[in-house]
């Protein structure tokens, strides 16, 4: 999962049941295809949920219009605004907070390198000890610029592919490897 980023898209168990009757709830039973009522055994692993607000904001970004941006704002009882990329970025940040999409938005907008660099020198705790966040291997922006923000493909998978897979750019260069604390 660390190599793809796909795990951030809301993997959930879809088996839901009424605790009183111990019966599957009808709307979930359709999705679960008659899965068992046991939450440990009867669930779908690859169900990816996409919020409608995300779809509306994606459409607004692609069409560069405020119509769907304002639909999202109207639901939250916020006033309508004119479209701008800055307004869209702010709306996605607040509307989709904690949903695992921000990094990929920053990558798409070419803002990730600067955002990553901003964490260097910030006060943190490392194993309970006060310290500063260090920019390993020349800094986070340099590593992002070298790798495009993508994780390395595991060498075992490259070997198993018999030459089909090639390593993502920037990996294999020791300066991009995380040396640890």
């Amino acid at each position: 999962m660390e190599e793809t980023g796909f795990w951030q898209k809301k993997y959930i168990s879809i088996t839901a049941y009424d605790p009183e009757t111990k019966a599957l709830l009808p709307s979930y039973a359709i999705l679960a295809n008659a899965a068992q009522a046991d939450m440990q055994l009867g669930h779908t692993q690859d169900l990816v949920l996409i919020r409608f607000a995300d779809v509306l904001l994606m459409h607004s970004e692609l069409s560069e219009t405020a119509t769907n941006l304002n639909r999202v704002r109207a639901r939250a009882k916020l006033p309508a605004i004119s479209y701008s990329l800055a307004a869209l970025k702010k709306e996605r940040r607040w509307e989709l907070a904690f949903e695992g999409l921000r990094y990929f938005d920053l990558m798409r907008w070419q803002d990730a390198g600067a955002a990553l660099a901003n964490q260097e020198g910030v006060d943190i705790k490392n194993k309970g000890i006060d310290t500063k966040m260090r920019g390993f291997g020349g800094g986070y922006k340099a590593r992002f610029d070298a790798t495009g923000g993508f994780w390395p493909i595991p060498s075992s998978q490259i070997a198993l592919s018999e030459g089909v897979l090639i390593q993502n750019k920037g990996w294999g260069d020791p300066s991009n490897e995380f040396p640890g604390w």
Side-chain angles (χ1 to χ4, degrees), residues 103 112-124 131-136 139-141 143-144 178 181:
Y103 179 70
L116 289 167
N118 285 341
Q119 68 186 342
E120 293 175 21
V122 171
D123 292 330
I124 64 169
T131 187
K132 299 263 186 210
M133 187 67 179
R134 298 189 330 218
F136 298 100
Y140 292 105
K141 183 174 180 349
R143 183 177 12 196
F144 180 85
F178 181 74
W181 288 90

Side-chain angles (χ1 to χ4, degrees), residues 62-147:
L62 289 169
S63 64
E64 296 183 349
T65 60
T67 304
N68 287 324
L69 171 65
N70 285 322
R71 285 177 71 185
V72 173
R73 292 179 61 81
R75 190 211 77 249
K77 296 181 177 39
L78 295 171
I81 58 173
S82 299
Y83 177 84
S84 71
L85 183 58
L88 178 95
K89 287 178 178 182
K90 187 182 287 188
E91 195 66 31
R92 285 189 66 83
R93 181 173 190 164
W94 295 114
E95 179 67 29
L96 304 170
F98 310 109
E99 296 196 17
L101 302 173
R102 180 92 175 128
Y103 179 70
F104 298 102
D105 285 347
L106 292 173
M107 284 177 65
R108 182 174 68 256
W109 298 323
Q110 304 295 313
D111 294 342
L116 289 167
N118 285 341
Q119 68 186 342
E120 293 175 21
V122 171
D123 292 330
I124 64 169
K125 288 200 181 284
N126 181 16
K127 299 180 183 174
I129 299 169
D130 291 329
T131 187
K132 299 263 186 210
M133 187 67 179
R134 298 189 330 218
F136 298 100
Y140 292 105
K141 183 174 180 349
R143 183 177 12 196
F144 180 85
D145 291 343
T147 63

Side-chain angles (χ1 to χ4, degrees), residues 43-63:
H43 59 85
T44 299
Q45 189 78 342
D46 296 333
L47 178 67
V48 177
L49 296 182
I50 300 174
R51 287 197 36 227
F52 188 51
D54 189 13
V55 173
L56 292 173
L57 291 171
M58 285 188 281
H59 182 268
S60 189
E61 183 176 352
L62 289 169
S63 64

